[in-house]
Amino acid sequence: ISVGVSSQNLWLGPGQFSSLLMYSNPPGFNHFSIGTNRPLKTPLGSVEFNIIGGTLTAIERQGFENRNLKYYGNFLGTRYLSLLSISYNPVFFKNFYLTANRAFTLPTQEKPSSKLTDYYLIALKPLFRNVYQDNTAAIDQIISGFAKYVFPKENAEIYFEYGWNDGSSNLRDLTLDNSHSSASILGIKKIQP
């Protein structure tokens, strides 16, 4: 397990050219991370995790696709990112990987709450909003999960990622009303010498 501070670019997801949650196209940002350096072995399989917290700064010269759709006012400034990623590789299916990602962005606060899960580690809060409320604050939640199967002898892999750009109040809300804010990626990678 490692603890670090960095300003590097981050990529999160199985996609080769794009990712639903985070990709390394924009410049890096100041962040801290707590995570595994290599998989932690358990009797049921291997587990990896990563917790990231950092400050995102809007780039004034960069366009935003929704600028003409809804008035955002002055959206320049900083936002805080809280991210949790957990990956599982079952012991009985060694080339199969399941990963769950959860990220929150919220306005940077000068005097955040002393309770770590209210600001710095908000991604560790319960999954559904009926336990906590984010209706009064400009908090954005993104959840994604992906499955990947690796074919080591063929130097290939197949992956599928599905994500939501909205927090749900409960399991019923998640299953009945997930299409308005969802996206997916399906891909196959093959290395040919």
Side-chain angles (χ1 to χ4, degrees):
I1 295 178
S2 66
V3 177
V5 176
S6 176
S7 63
Q8 70 184 25
N9 291 29
L10 297 175
W11 184 283
L12 194 60
Q16 181 176 1
F17 300 109
S18 64
S19 174
L20 292 183
L21 198 59
M22 185 178 294
Y23 57 96
S24 59
N25 232 3
F29 62 99
N30 296 331
H31 63 275
F32 70 87
S33 62
I34 302 167
T36 53
N37 292 329
R38 59 179 181 262
L40 302 173
K41 294 185 179 183
T42 69
L44 298 175
S46 302
V47 177
E48 294 180 78
F49 74 91
N50 205 354
I51 298 171
I52 297 170
T55 304
L56 303 173
T57 304
I59 301 172
E60 189 176 356
R61 299 175 310 277
Q62 186 175 12
F64 185 57
E65 65 271 13
N66 290 337
R67 201 178 271 195
N68 296 323
L69 299 177
K70 182 178 176 184
Y71 177 69
Y72 281 87
N74 185 7
F75 61 92
L76 297 177
T78 61
R79 292 182 65 80
Y80 181 76
L81 168 75
S82 175
L83 188 140
L84 170 67
S85 178
I86 299 172
S87 184
Y88 171 63
N89 173 230
V91 69
F92 52 85
F93 209 27
K94 72 176 190 174
N95 295 330
F96 184 67
Y97 298 88
L98 286 172
T99 302
N101 302 307
R102 186 177 189 202
F104 281 89
T105 59
L106 58 153
T108 305
Q109 299 173 8
E110 290 192 22
K111 293 184 181 179
S113 171
S114 59
K115 189 174 179 186
L116 289 178
T117 57
D118 284 346
Y119 183 72
Y120 293 108
L121 300 175
I122 195 171
L124 299 179
K125 280 204 176 269
L127 183 62
F128 298 117
R129 285 188 308 202
N130 61 359
V131 179
Y132 70 94
Q133 291 296 320
D134 65 357
N135 299 331
T136 58
I139 298 175
D140 295 322
Q141 177 182 191
I142 300 171
I143 298 172
S144 77
F146 67 83
K148 175 173 75 169
Y149 189 80
V150 178
F151 302 91
K153 291 181 181 178
E154 289 80 17
N155 295 319
E157 67 181 38
I158 185 169
Y159 57 85
F160 176 72
E161 183 175 19
Y162 193 83
W164 299 269
N165 188 18
D166 191 13
S168 300
S169 297
N170 50 38
L171 186 59
R172 181 179 183 276
D173 184 25
L174 177 67
T175 55
L176 293 178
D177 195 24
N178 66 4
S179 62
H180 78 280
S181 62
S182 61
S184 60
I185 295 177
L186 173 67
I188 298 171
K189 284 196 265 190
K190 168 99 173 114
I191 298 174
Q192 186 68 40

